[in-house]
Amino acid sequence: MTLRWGIIGPGRIARKLAADFAVVDGCELVAVGSRTLARAEAFVADLPPALTGPVRPYGSYADLLAEPDVDIVYIATPHQQHAAVATAALRAGKAILVEKAFTC
């Protein structure tokens, strides 16, 4: 089984995590969501070529969470957004990994 990951919040630490998908068996990065489509597209365009499969950019967190091909979401937004985004992800039926502190 392959876990299909999405990243919400395409910042510096998310970029480091994304590169790791090239060397982790059973995991595939399939989606990146940001508050703007342009930022998600820029993040996807800068991903390492070693990643397998296409990574789809989303211009909103809700659009990524509605994607049935995403099993688990890495939440890398600013801390004050963690609780709201994590709650929305859980309500959408996604497993979550929250960066650093869960909430302020």
Side-chain angles (χ1 to χ4, degrees):
M1 177 181 171
T2 298
L3 286 176
R4 300 165 300 180
W5 285 74
I7 293 175
I8 290 182
R12 181 179 46 86
I13 294 173
R15 187 170 310 286
K16 291 180 181 186
L17 176 85
D20 292 340
F21 285 104
V23 296
V24 176
D25 291 333
C27 292
E28 178 182 19
L29 179 60
V30 298
V32 173
S34 184
R35 290 175 286 179
T36 67
L37 182 57
R39 183 145 185 230
E41 288 173 336
F43 186 91
V44 169
D46 197 36
L47 288 171
L51 290 175
T52 59
V55 179
R56 293 177 306 279
Y58 291 89
S60 78
Y61 304 153
D63 288 348
L64 184 146
L65 294 176
E67 175 56 57
D69 291 337
V70 173
D71 302 311
I72 185 167
V73 178
Y74 175 64
I75 299 169
T77 59
H79 295 158
Q80 63 271 25
Q81 295 176 336
H82 284 179
V85 175
T87 300
L90 291 171
R91 287 189 174 135
K94 310 298 183 193
I96 59 172
L97 175 61
V98 182
E99 175 185 277
K100 299 178 195 160
F102 174 68
T103 188
C104 294

